[in-house]
Amino acid sequence: VQLQASGGGLVQAGGSLRLSCAASGRTFGSGAVAWFRQAPGKEREFIAAISWSGVSTYSADSVKGRFTISRDNAKNVVYLQMNSLKLEDTARYYCAAHNRVWSIATIQLPGTYDYWGQGTQVTVSS
């Protein structure tokens, strides 16, 4: 599976961005696609995940109500709609995928994922 993240950029606080993660190559009927982010000097942080089927989703408390994960099965694309962006949302955003059983506990762990995109930078300015 190859993952290509895009859609990052510079946005003012309070603004919105939509990130895309396009999956190509072999894809799976089980497992999940997730978004993580990493700011300089910080650990990689789980943001949200969606099952390959699109039926199940889960988001971190820090982004609930502001970020929404979704997917277009026909296009094999997973989106992260980010609204009400804050300065602390500034980071490089990565999409990742695995084909294991869906588990709320494990989808939040970077080590669960076998495939990673190259990331896209999101910078929120005041």
Side-chain angles (χ1 to χ4, degrees):
V1 175
Q2 292 80 45
L3 303 173
Q4 180 74 36
S6 61
L10 175 65
V11 63
Q12 286 192 322
S16 298
L17 279 175
R18 187 178 79 161
L19 305 184
S20 299
C21 176
S24 61
R26 182 188 176 196
T27 56
F28 306 103
S30 62
V33 177
W35 287 97
F36 288 80
R37 68 185 179 189
Q38 190 165 20
K42 295 189 176 180
E43 293 186 352
R44 193 159 293 191
E45 177 190 8
F46 170 79
I47 299 300
I50 186 166
S51 59
W52 279 105
S53 65
V55 171
S56 301
T57 63
Y58 184 78
S59 299
D61 288 342
S62 59
V63 303
K64 279 180 181 175
R66 299 191 301 124
F67 293 8
T68 303
I69 191 168
S70 63
R71 67 173 294 145
D72 184 328
N73 286 340
K75 296 181 180 179
N76 252 353
V77 178
V78 173
Y79 301 103
L80 184 68
Q81 178 66 44
M82 307 187 296
N83 300 327
S84 303
L85 283 161
K86 304 176 181 179
L87 296 179
E88 52 265 40
D89 294 319
T90 294
R92 191 163 186 84
Y93 285 69
Y94 298 87
C95 58
H98 74 75
N99 65 337
R100 297 175 175 79
V101 174
W102 174 270
S103 163
I104 298 297
T106 59
I107 58 171
Q108 303 177 65
L109 304 175
T112 299
Y113 296 84
D114 302 304
Y115 308 96
W116 290 85
Q118 84 290 358
T120 185
Q121 179 67 33
V122 171
T123 302
V124 183
S125 65
S126 58

